[in-house]
Amino acid sequence: MNLPIEFEKKMKDFLGDEWEDFLYSYDNNRFQALRFNTLKVGKDKGIEQEIAGIMDKLGIPMDKKVTWADNAYYYDEDKRPGKHPYHEMGLYYIQEPSAMSAAALLSPKPGMRVLDLCAAPGGKSTQLSTYLGDRGLLVSNEINTQRSRILSQNIERMGIKNAIVTNEDSFTLTAHFPNFFHAIQVDAPCSGEGMFRKLPEAVNEWSPENVAICATRQKEILDNAAVMLKAGGTIVYSTCTFSKEENEDVIEYFLNGHPDFTVEKMERFWPHKQDGEGHFVAKLVRRGELLLDEDAYPQEKSDVLSEDITGKRKPSGKCAGKKNKRSTVKEAGGISKDNMELLNEFLDMTLTDDMADWIRNGKLMMFGEQLYRLPDIQVDLKGLKVQRAGLHIGEFKKNRFEPSHSLALALKSNEAKNIVDLDIDDSRTAGFFNGQSVTLGEDQIQKCKKGWTLVCVDGYSAGWGKVSGIQVKNHYPKGLRNKI
């Protein structure tokens, strides 16, 4: 690999005798890993046993674990777990191994209010959600509009119920969340020196000037994060670059400006020392007593979200260094009596009592014809650009309610009354993910009632279907088909 000359000179000076080993690492294959989603895996059986069964069907041995993250395993380059139905169902997330270190270092507790400030495409957010479980609040923010949509899609795929996805810059968020979060992840935009093997274009984009620009931006983001952190709270700062200017120097700057913080841990992951592309992590703890309460955040009379949540507004907002005109917003309203009747009819026929009550007893909000259940720890979203406000339940259409794909992926198979469970090796499984109807077997005909059914594969939810006779009409989203 042809590295920038100035980068080579800088790294030689920085690494000394280790330079040759570091340089040699660029000639090796890059490391790949997957991390299991414990919101879906390990609920009914022992997690090791369940993971072993999934890995066996993926054809991936379990002999090499990622030591700094829970339930994460390396896989060889010839494997393609991203093209498997299990991936589409959110059983695991494919992530660069050393990048898993940041969320593992933050490791928030259930019930906490957590912010992932620079969150796309979602690796760290989805990892943080496994620590929270279904308790607490996760706000996942991404400044770039298009990347925030990818982030929202990954939140959906992993079945996360208690996440809000915002599309803002860090300064805007400080006005909405002062002294609010118990834990904040700052995976700061950087010069991407650890991405050279994965993204060759990152080599062409590298320059000392870009490193300096990144460092300035990182300091600003970290300062803004401090405004939003509660006393006793923790910030984990991370980058995928090797530059001292963007790592240790940023931490030194921050500590000088924030004497109420201490560094609890600071670590580098080098590609010639660990099996990964490289990462820097630093754990910053604010002095004081951390109060782990779940009091709701004060709200205005009604929540206000941007029209983007209905998919109706055009991309806008500050992203990738471009200032665009801020979008207009509209008020979100409560559910009408007629729509509540339609929702109750669906819930009573389709879901178990506990799950149905969890939905109807929560904070339900309408955005256009779209219905969302907001997280139990509610926040004032007025004036923010929001891609996702909790769990998308479904949409009202011409005197009927149609459940969302988000709801399907958030459900366990034992939370639906009507299910069709397919085996991973069944030919109907690939057909379902590609948009085909499912023909019921004789035993399934006896069990399935007419109407909405949760289609599962090996006991894990995959999407919705609608039973009519011996056929299950496919309601898997058209935009997600033909990937298997």
Side-chain angles (χ1 to χ4, degrees):
M1 177 181 290
N2 293 320
L3 299 171
I5 294 174
E6 290 178 276
F7 171 75
E8 287 196 8
K9 183 179 183 303
K10 184 176 76 167
M11 294 307 296
K12 281 180 184 179
D13 293 340
F14 188 53
L15 288 170
D17 293 341
E18 294 182 27
W19 160 249
E20 292 295 336
D21 291 337
F22 173 79
L23 184 62
Y24 178 74
S25 71
Y26 282 101
D27 294 328
N28 298 327
N29 292 331
R30 63 187 182 92
F31 291 96
Q32 302 172 102
L34 55 83
R35 174 180 44 76
F36 280 92
N37 178 14
T38 54
L39 297 178
K40 293 174 176 279
V41 177
K43 295 296 183 183
D44 301 322
K45 319 174 196 176
I47 190 164
E48 290 286 344
Q49 177 187 351
E50 194 167 346
I51 287 175
I54 295 170
M55 293 283 275
D56 181 62
K57 291 180 179 180
L58 292 173
I60 299 174
M62 294 179 63
D63 56 345
K64 195 168 183 183
K65 298 183 74 171
V66 179
T67 57
W68 48 83
D70 294 334
N71 308 308
Y73 299 84
Y74 293 93
Y75 63 89
D76 292 336
E77 201 170 17
D78 62 332
K79 303 299 180 183
R80 294 289 184 270
K83 297 293 186 181
H84 198 278
Y86 288 160
H87 179 266
E88 298 306 303
M89 294 187 291
L91 302 194
Y92 49 81
Y93 191 98
I94 295 172
Q95 190 175 9
E96 193 281 307
S98 58
M100 299 178 190
S101 60
L105 186 58
L106 188 60
S107 58
K109 296 178 181 178
M112 281 186 168
R113 305 166 185 173
V114 180
L115 170 64
D116 189 359
L117 192 48
C118 315
K124 292 174 177 65
S125 281
T126 58
Q127 190 175 358
L128 292 169
S129 72
T130 64
Y131 289 95
L132 290 176
D134 291 331
R135 293 176 54 199
L137 171 71
L138 174 63
V139 176
S140 297
N141 180 70
E142 171 56 42
I143 190 173
N144 182 289
T145 302
Q146 184 57 39
R147 282 169 58 81
S148 72
R149 291 178 180 145
I150 296 170
L151 168 64
S152 183
Q153 291 165 6
N154 280 320
I155 293 290
E156 172 182 88
R157 182 170 63 86
M158 304 304 272
I160 300 170
K161 300 174 185 174
N162 52 341
I164 294 171
V165 178
T166 56
N167 173 210
E168 292 290 354
D169 61 85
S170 62
F171 180 75
T172 299
L173 292 181
T174 61
H176 290 263
F177 301 110
N179 188 36
F180 180 74
F181 294 101
H182 300 105
I184 299 178
Q185 190 94 63
V186 179
D187 188 46
C190 65
S191 58
E193 294 165 355
M195 303 294 284
F196 285 176
R197 285 199 298 185
K198 181 181 179 181
L199 301 172
E201 59 268 27
V203 177
N204 299 325
E205 294 171 358
W206 186 92
S207 70
E209 293 76 20
N210 189 40
V211 169
I213 291 170
C214 288
T216 299
R217 180 171 53 206
Q218 290 152 359
K219 293 171 183 176
E220 176 187 344
I221 292 171
L222 204 47
D223 282 337
N224 289 334
V227 175
M228 296 183 276
L229 189 71
K230 295 174 72 69
T234 299
I235 296 173
V236 167
Y237 173 83
S238 62
T239 73
C240 61
T241 202
F242 306 120
S243 168
K244 182 173 178 290
E245 300 95 314
E246 299 178 66
N247 294 323
E248 289 89 351
D249 291 356
V250 170
I251 299 303
E252 182 180 0
Y253 157 86
F254 180 79
L255 294 175
N256 287 336
H258 300 271
D260 55 334
F261 278 83
T262 57
V263 178
E264 190 169 292
K265 186 175 183 179
M266 192 156 58
E267 186 175 7
R268 281 180 174 269
F269 290 76
W270 291 101
H272 63 290
K273 290 184 175 181
Q274 287 94 10
D275 292 341
E277 300 303 294
H279 226 65
F280 172 87
V281 293
K283 186 174 184 178
L284 304 164
V285 180
R286 173 169 261 158
R287 294 188 183 93
E289 182 183 1
L290 184 64
L291 300 177
L292 299 181
D293 57 83
E294 293 189 37
D295 296 334
Y297 188 70
Q299 291 200 129
E300 300 292 333
K301 185 175 180 181
S302 66
D303 298 291
V304 182
L305 299 184
S306 69
E307 294 181 9
D308 192 44
I309 204 159
T310 65
K312 293 181 181 178
R313 77 167 169 84
K314 296 180 180 180
S316 63
K318 181 179 175 185
C319 65
K322 298 179 181 178
K323 293 184 178 180
N324 298 322
K325 190 174 180 181
R326 176 172 285 276
S327 65
T328 57
V329 297
K330 66 177 184 178
E331 291 194 1
I335 186 170
S336 69
K337 181 179 177 181
D338 288 345
N339 280 346
M340 195 67 206
E341 289 179 0
L342 293 174
L343 175 64
N344 280 327
E345 180 183 355
F346 165 80
L347 295 176
D348 292 338
M349 291 183 63
T350 313
L351 303 183
T352 60
D353 292 345
D354 286 348
M355 190 61 200
D357 288 343
W358 180 83
I359 292 174
R360 63 177 140 231
N361 294 336
K363 175 79 170 177
L364 298 176
M365 296 297 288
M366 293 286 296
F367 305 97
E369 297 303 313
Q370 309 293 329
L371 178 67
Y372 280 74
R373 187 201 188 274
L374 304 186
D376 291 330
I377 298 178
Q378 294 164 23
V379 298
D380 177 16
L381 301 173
K382 188 174 183 180
L384 290 177
K385 298 191 292 293
V386 177
Q387 292 283 5
R388 178 174 296 270
L391 182 61
H392 183 205
I393 303 299
E395 181 180 6
F396 292 96
K397 293 182 175 181
K398 296 181 182 177
N399 297 319
R400 74 180 193 277
F401 177 76
E402 188 167 300
S404 72
H405 190 56
S406 293
L407 177 59
L409 293 182
L411 292 171
K412 312 293 187 296
S413 61
N414 60 5
E415 292 173 329
K417 291 180 179 178
N418 215 23
I419 71 166
V420 174
D421 195 15
L422 304 175
D423 186 84
I424 191 65
D425 298 321
D426 192 320
S427 61
R428 295 176 296 174
T429 297
F432 175 76
F433 284 98
N434 290 320
Q436 299 173 17
S437 295
V438 175
T439 302
L440 297 173
E442 289 187 14
D443 57 331
Q444 294 171 324
I445 293 173
Q446 303 300 321
K447 297 177 183 177
C448 289
K449 299 177 182 178
K450 183 179 179 180
W452 289 105
T453 186
L454 185 66
V455 178
C456 300
V457 177
D458 289 347
Y460 303 103
S461 59
W464 291 109
K466 208 165 188 182
V467 177
S468 179
I470 65 169
Q471 295 291 318
V472 180
K473 183 181 178 181
N474 195 307
H475 282 264
Y476 195 75
K478 292 180 180 179
L480 299 178
R481 295 176 184 178
N482 302 315
K483 290 187 177 183
I484 304 301

Coordinates of all heavy atoms in Angstrom, one line a residue, residues 23 38 75 95 129 139 172 207 259 265 289 292 338 357 364 406 454:
L23 N 4.1 -1.1 9.7 CA 4.1 -1.0 8.2 C 3.7 -2.4 7.6 O 2.9 -2.5 6.7 CB 5.4 -0.5 7.6 CG 5.5 -0.3 6.1 CD1 4.5 0.8 5.7 CD2 6.9 0.1 5.7
T38 N -27.7 -9.3 22.1 CA -28.4 -10.0 23.2 C -29.8 -9.5 23.5 O -30.4 -10.0 24.4 CB -27.5 -9.9 24.5 OG1 -27.2 -8.5 24.7 CG2 -26.2 -10.6 24.3
Y75 N -14.3 -13.8 12.0 CA -14.6 -14.8 11.0 C -13.7 -14.5 9.8 O -13.2 -13.5 9.6 CB -16.1 -14.7 10.6 CG -16.5 -13.4 9.9 CD1 -16.4 -13.2 8.6 CD2 -17.0 -12.4 10.7 CE1 -16.8 -12.0 8.0 CE2 -17.4 -11.2 10.2 CZ -17.4 -11.0 8.8 OH -17.8 -9.8 8.2
Q95 N -18.9 -5.7 12.6 CA -18.2 -4.5 13.1 C -16.7 -4.8 13.1 O -16.3 -5.9 13.4 CB -18.7 -4.2 14.5 CG -18.3 -2.8 15.0 CD -18.9 -2.5 16.4 OE1 -19.6 -3.3 17.0 NE2 -18.7 -1.3 16.8
S129 N -26.9 -0.6 23.3 CA -28.3 -1.0 23.6 C -28.3 -2.4 24.3 O -29.2 -2.7 25.0 CB -29.1 -1.1 22.3 OG -28.7 -2.2 21.5
V139 N -30.1 7.9 23.0 CA -30.2 8.9 22.0 C -29.0 8.7 21.1 O -27.9 8.9 21.5 CB -30.3 10.3 22.6 CG1 -30.3 11.4 21.4 CG2 -31.5 10.5 23.5
T172 N -26.3 22.1 18.9 CA -27.7 22.1 19.0 C -28.3 21.2 20.1 O -29.2 21.6 20.8 CB -28.4 21.7 17.6 OG1 -27.9 22.6 16.6 CG2 -29.9 21.8 17.7
S207 N -4.2 14.3 4.9 CA -3.2 15.4 4.8 C -3.0 15.9 6.2 O -3.9 15.8 7.1 CB -3.7 16.5 3.9 OG -4.8 17.2 4.5
P259 N -11.5 20.9 34.6 CA -10.7 20.3 35.7 C -11.6 19.3 36.6 O -11.0 18.7 37.5 CB -10.3 21.5 36.5 CG -11.2 22.6 36.1 CD -11.6 22.3 34.7
K265 N -9.1 5.7 32.1 CA -8.4 4.7 31.3 C -8.1 5.4 29.9 O -9.0 6.1 29.4 CB -9.1 3.4 31.1 CG -8.4 2.3 30.4 CD -9.2 1.0 30.4 CE -8.4 -0.1 29.7 NZ -9.1 -1.4 29.7
E289 N -21.4 12.6 42.5 CA -22.2 11.4 42.7 C -23.2 11.2 41.6 O -24.0 12.1 41.2 CB -23.0 11.5 44.0 CG -23.8 10.3 44.4 CD -24.6 10.4 45.6 OE1 -24.6 11.5 46.2 OE2 -25.3 9.4 46.0
L292 N -28.6 7.4 39.6 CA -29.3 6.6 38.5 C -30.8 6.6 38.7 O -31.3 5.6 39.3 CB -28.7 5.2 38.6 CG -27.2 5.1 38.3 CD1 -26.7 3.6 38.4 CD2 -26.8 5.7 37.0
D338 N -61.0 6.7 17.1 CA -61.3 5.7 16.1 C -60.0 4.9 15.8 O -60.0 3.7 15.6 CB -61.7 6.4 14.8 CG -63.1 6.9 14.9 OD1 -63.9 6.5 15.8 OD2 -63.5 7.8 14.0
D357 N -50.3 -4.7 26.2 CA -50.4 -3.7 27.2 C -49.2 -2.8 27.2 O -49.3 -1.6 27.5 CB -50.5 -4.4 28.6 CG -51.9 -5.0 28.8 OD1 -52.8 -4.7 28.0 OD2 -52.0 -5.8 29.7
L364 N -48.0 7.0 23.4 CA -48.2 6.9 21.9 C -48.4 8.2 21.3 O -49.1 9.1 21.7 CB -49.5 6.0 21.7 CG -49.5 4.6 22.2 CD1 -50.8 3.9 22.0 CD2 -48.3 3.8 21.6
S406 N -40.5 -2.5 12.0 CA -39.8 -2.3 13.3 C -40.4 -3.1 14.4 O -39.7 -3.7 15.2 CB -39.8 -0.8 13.6 OG -39.1 0.0 12.7
L454 N -46.8 -13.3 12.6 CA -45.3 -13.0 12.7 C -44.6 -14.2 12.1 O -44.6 -15.3 12.6 CB -44.9 -12.8 14.2 CG -43.5 -12.4 14.4 CD1 -43.2 -11.0 13.9 CD2 -43.1 -12.4 15.9

